[in-house]
Structures are given as C-alpha cells and as structure tokens.
Amino acid sequence: MKLDPRRSAAFLAAIDAGSLEAAAAQLRITPSAVSQRIKQLEERVGQVLVQRGSPCTGTAAGRRLCLHLEQVALLEHQLRRT
C-alpha cells in the first residue's frame, strides 16, 4: 500500500506535536488541512489512527503506523548517506 507523503507528514506532526494546531504551525498549513489529511490517511488504511483530544494521541493502529513511518524515514536517511 502506497501512502501519500503529505498525509503521513500531517499524521506524524500531529502525534509528535500533540495537537492539530501545533502540527499545522510546524507544516505551515491550516489545522483544517491537517485534519483533512489525517482523515484521508485513515480512510486509506481503513482505521482510526488518531484520538483527537488534548493531546492528540495515536490509537493502537496509529502507533504501529507511526513506528513504520519512522523506520522508513530512517532507512531512507541511511540510503542517502551511502
């Protein structure tokens, strides 16, 4: 399954920052855009990924996806270094 990088970035930013507003500021987009991207990602994977609240937290599926995306980013970083 191919995941859209903008949607993945919004998801990771929300989990990392703990709120859609902080993720939006980090990504320089609106909180609504962050929410829409996360919703689209959730529709793509067929599961709720984020518990929207204060702070935003990942569901069990969201935590697994977060780990996967972080591992992919690490592998890509390692490839660029070689």
Side-chain angles (χ1 to χ4, degrees):
M1 168 184 341
K2 184 160 173 67
L3 301 177
D4 182 279
R6 294 179 316 139
R7 293 174 185 164
S8 298
F11 164 70
L12 287 173
I15 297 299
D16 184 52
S19 75
L20 301 183
E21 293 78 12
Q26 179 183 346
L27 297 171
R28 297 185 175 131
I29 59 176
T30 65
S32 176
V34 172
S35 181
Q36 290 173 6
R37 289 178 186 184
I38 292 171
K39 183 177 179 180
Q40 291 166 344
L41 182 61
E42 289 174 330
E43 289 171 356
R44 176 77 170 115
V45 300
Q47 296 186 46
V48 175
L49 300 171
V50 176
Q51 291 293 324
R52 289 153 175 86
S54 185
C56 285
T57 57
T59 62
R63 290 189 301 273
R64 286 191 307 273
L65 180 59
C66 191
L67 179 60
H68 169 75
L69 292 171
E70 290 170 349
Q71 289 173 337
V72 168
L74 179 60
L75 289 171
E76 290 174 348
H77 177 74
Q78 290 173 341
L79 280 173
R80 284 190 298 270
R81 288 183 26 184
T82 58

